[in-house]
Amino acid sequence: MATKRLARQLGAVRSRAGAPRSPLGAAGRPFRYLVVLDFESTCWSGGGRRPQEIIEFPAVLLNASDGEIEAEFHAYVQPQEQPVLSEFCTALTGIKQSQVDEGVPLHICLSQFSKWIQKIQKEKKIIFHSVPPSCAAAEGKLCTFVTWSDWDLGVCLHYECKRKQLRKPDVLNSWIDLRATYKLFYSRKPQGLTGALRDVGILFAGREHSGLDDSRNTARLAWRMICDGCVMKITKSLDKMFIMQGDR
């Protein structure tokens, strides 16, 4: 085991010294783009068993070849089950009651997001990991989603759509958990997103728990990890028809 660990460490050092390695997608093809998401939701002091609803839905498109953020999506979402934000929620996220009141219901937000996805697919010639390789154009640039933990897509959006009987875009069924990837790659447990950034010499830019700022900073961390030699792979899928990279 010690020999394997040493070999892995030496390999990591060599890869970090060279050019950035592209994150891998289906059939070993590199991810050319990453869509980074970080939702904010209703919350209360002390937690509790109340279901959470998305109140901020941001996404940033990261070019995995040069680290540039090439497009952004952002919407405030009206909570329907608990329409009045708690003081704790407003203090934590900075989101005001008037912003969610002027926002859109989740089903409309998902429709707007789908149109944004279609737009960047057309403009950038992007295809998503959830599309079977046989259906994907050979010249398409492979893309997937990135979140900080599985909560955003595996818990928050997944269960809210179930409760409200909403159909979410199929492309949101698989993603990279950057927190888990960070822990595996650097062999250390991150102390939150801000701590993970700090550990690699990056200061958090903007306001913590602002969904858009969190998304931008997660994208910055993903790019740094790619530059350090991290080969990112899908870590979670809700779609059973696709075999995970790690299970091959």
Side-chain angles (χ1 to χ4, degrees):
M1 293 298 293
T3 302
K4 288 183 179 179
R5 284 197 297 270
L6 179 60
R8 181 181 175 187
Q9 290 170 359
L10 290 173
V13 169
R14 292 191 188 104
S15 66
R16 291 176 194 180
R21 297 169 65 183
S22 297
L24 295 181
R29 291 180 60 190
F31 287 121
R32 296 286 299 278
Y33 285 95
L34 301 171
V35 177
V36 184
L37 301 166
D38 194 291
F39 304 141
E40 297 302 324
S41 71
T42 52
C43 53
W44 300 267
S45 177
R49 298 182 64 85
R50 284 174 283 191
Q52 293 178 286
E53 297 174 272
I54 294 171
I55 55 175
E56 184 183 6
F57 195 124
V60 300
L61 178 67
L62 174 71
N63 187 319
S65 299
D66 61 16
E68 292 296 316
I69 292 178
E70 296 188 1
E72 294 184 343
F73 173 87
H74 185 262
Y76 288 111
V77 185
Q78 291 177 359
Q80 307 290 306
E81 298 164 334
Q82 299 283 341
V84 179
L85 300 182
S86 68
E87 292 181 4
F88 174 82
C89 185
T90 295
L92 179 69
T93 65
I95 298 172
K96 300 176 182 178
Q97 185 67 46
S98 59
Q99 290 175 303
V100 294
D101 287 344
E102 295 168 4
V104 296
L106 182 59
H107 71 278
I108 294 178
C109 178
L110 288 172
S111 176
Q112 293 173 345
F113 180 70
S114 294
K115 290 178 181 177
W116 180 75
I117 288 292
Q118 292 167 6
K119 180 174 182 288
I120 62 172
Q121 281 183 294
K122 183 177 180 180
E123 291 178 352
K124 311 290 184 181
K125 293 183 170 55
I126 286 173
I127 56 173
F128 280 89
H129 172 82
S130 57
V131 176
S134 60
C135 300
E139 68 274 12
K141 299 171 185 176
L142 202 60
C143 180
T144 194
F145 293 89
V146 175
T147 60
W148 181 255
S149 87
D150 289 332
W151 177 84
D152 299 85
L153 294 177
V155 177
C156 189
L157 180 64
H158 181 65
Y159 287 108
E160 185 174 353
C161 286
K162 275 195 167 185
R163 290 196 314 272
K164 297 179 177 179
Q165 298 183 323
L166 303 178
R167 172 74 183 272
K168 72 176 186 291
D170 290 339
V171 291
L172 293 174
N173 280 339
S174 60
W175 62 90
I176 296 170
D177 174 354
L178 196 67
R179 183 175 67 179
T181 304
Y182 178 101
K183 183 178 179 180
L184 182 64
F185 180 67
Y186 291 115
S187 299
R188 60 175 180 258
K189 184 177 180 179
Q191 299 300 309
L193 175 59
T194 300
L197 287 162
R198 184 173 56 245
D199 286 345
V200 295
I202 301 174
L203 293 177
F204 188 97
R207 187 190 195 284
E208 292 184 50
H209 300 296
S210 155
L212 186 56
D213 286 343
D214 283 352
S215 298
R216 290 167 175 166
N217 282 280
T218 302
R220 294 169 68 208
L221 179 60
W223 172 241
R224 174 55 187 269
M225 291 171 65
I226 292 169
C227 289
D228 280 352
C230 181
V231 178
M232 295 187 194
K233 299 178 181 180
I234 298 292
T235 60
K236 184 72 173 181
S237 178
L238 302 177
D239 195 337
K240 294 180 181 179
M241 70 180 289
F242 294 103
I243 300 174
M244 303 307 297
Q245 294 282 344
D247 295 335
R248 291 181 177 177

